[in-house]
Amino acid sequence: MSESVRVLIVDDHAQFRAGLRALLATTGEVEVCGEAASGEEALTALARAQPDVVLLDLAMPGMGGIAATQRILEASPHVRVLVLSMADDDDSVFAALRAGARGYVLKGARRLEIIRAVKVVADGEAIFGPAIATRLMGYFANVDRDPPTPAIPGLTAREHEILAFVAQHLTNPQIAQRLGLSQKTVRNHVSNIFAKLQVADRAQAIDLAREAGLG
């Protein structure tokens, strides 16, 4: 790459932005041309900064990252948006892709992975962190199949999947590892499952799961 990649960093945590700026400066191939703490600030900075890549978080006060991605690409279709977020759930990933993001990497990624993602996206390609890529592959492998009849009406496909693991007596950390999710995401899913099933604990959930043929 003969010219430096110009990057606009959009994240509401100043310390995290500073860390990213320092990281990208180590490459000699990336120039941080601006920073913003919200989607609104990003849109204001866009014309001035003239970035090649916008590296942004999804969860920010005011205009979130999904809406910001859409607005950024409406204003500057040539810009590539790379999401760098803590959110690893299906809804966030697919919403970002539908909005036009060219890549999605989790904040816990290794430093070299983040640098590589910026360069790849700048070259016009798409890139996803390992956990996100695995999720996408699983989704598209099943997208053409007939959707199964829900074993328990009211539960989503992801909730059925997690409930089946609960019925196998897997812990939340074990389920998170199996599915490539964060433990917080699994805890939220389990809480939603308990609420929908109107059960108080895992033992009651396991009984219902087994009655439905799960696990």
Side-chain angles (χ1 to χ4, degrees), residues 1 6 24 29 33 37 39 45 56 75 81 87 98 100 106-107 114 124 135 142 161 167 176 178 187-188 192 196 206:
M1 216 175 288
R6 295 174 58 82
L24 297 175
E29 300 174 72
C33 59
L56 92 166
V81 174
R98 284 193 294 268
L106 298 179
K107 282 188 173 180
I114 295 172
R135 182 108 22 92
N142 291 290
E161 190 175 20
R178 291 279 187 96
R187 283 198 303 272
N188 289 339
N192 290 337
K196 289 180 179 182
I206 289 171

Side-chain angles (χ1 to χ4, degrees), residues 80-96:
R80 280 92 182 211
V81 174
L82 173 61
V83 172
L84 182 61
S85 175
M86 291 291 292
D88 64 354
D89 59 284
D90 291 353
D91 289 344
S92 296
V93 174
F94 288 110

Side-chain angles (χ1 to χ4, degrees), residues 125-155:
E125 300 178 34
I127 190 167
F128 306 96
I132 302 301
T134 299
R135 182 108 22 92
L136 291 173
M137 290 170 62
Y139 173 82
F140 287 111
N142 291 290
V143 74
D144 292 328
R145 299 178 184 174
D146 293 331
T149 302
I152 300 178
L155 296 189

Side-chain angles (χ1 to χ4, degrees), residues 9-83:
I9 299 173
V10 186
D11 192 287
D12 60 323
H13 294 99
Q15 188 173 357
F16 187 77
R17 293 199 307 272
L20 273 180
R21 177 185 284 273
L23 170 63
L24 297 175
T26 64
T27 68
E29 300 174 72
V30 178
E31 174 191 353
V32 176
C33 59
E35 296 183 16
S38 67
E40 291 87 348
E41 287 186 15
L43 290 170
T44 300
L46 196 61
R48 180 181 68 253
Q50 292 292 307
D52 301 305
V53 175
V54 175
L55 185 59
L56 92 166
D57 190 13
L58 294 185
M60 296 180 290
M63 183 189 300
I66 301 299
T69 296
Q70 294 172 327
R71 295 282 299 277
I72 287 167
L73 295 177
E74 287 171 3
S76 300
H78 65 282
V79 170
R80 280 92 182 211
V81 174
L82 173 61
V83 172

Side-chain angles (χ1 to χ4, degrees), residues 92-133:
S92 296
V93 174
F94 288 110
L97 297 184
R98 284 193 294 268
R102 298 299 298 271
Y104 199 114
V105 179
L106 298 179
K107 282 188 173 180
R110 298 188 305 272
R111 292 185 294 178
L112 289 178
E113 184 181 334
I114 295 172
I115 292 170
R116 176 172 174 270
V118 169
K119 294 178 180 178
V120 168
V121 168
D123 278 337
E125 300 178 34
I127 190 167
F128 306 96
I132 302 301

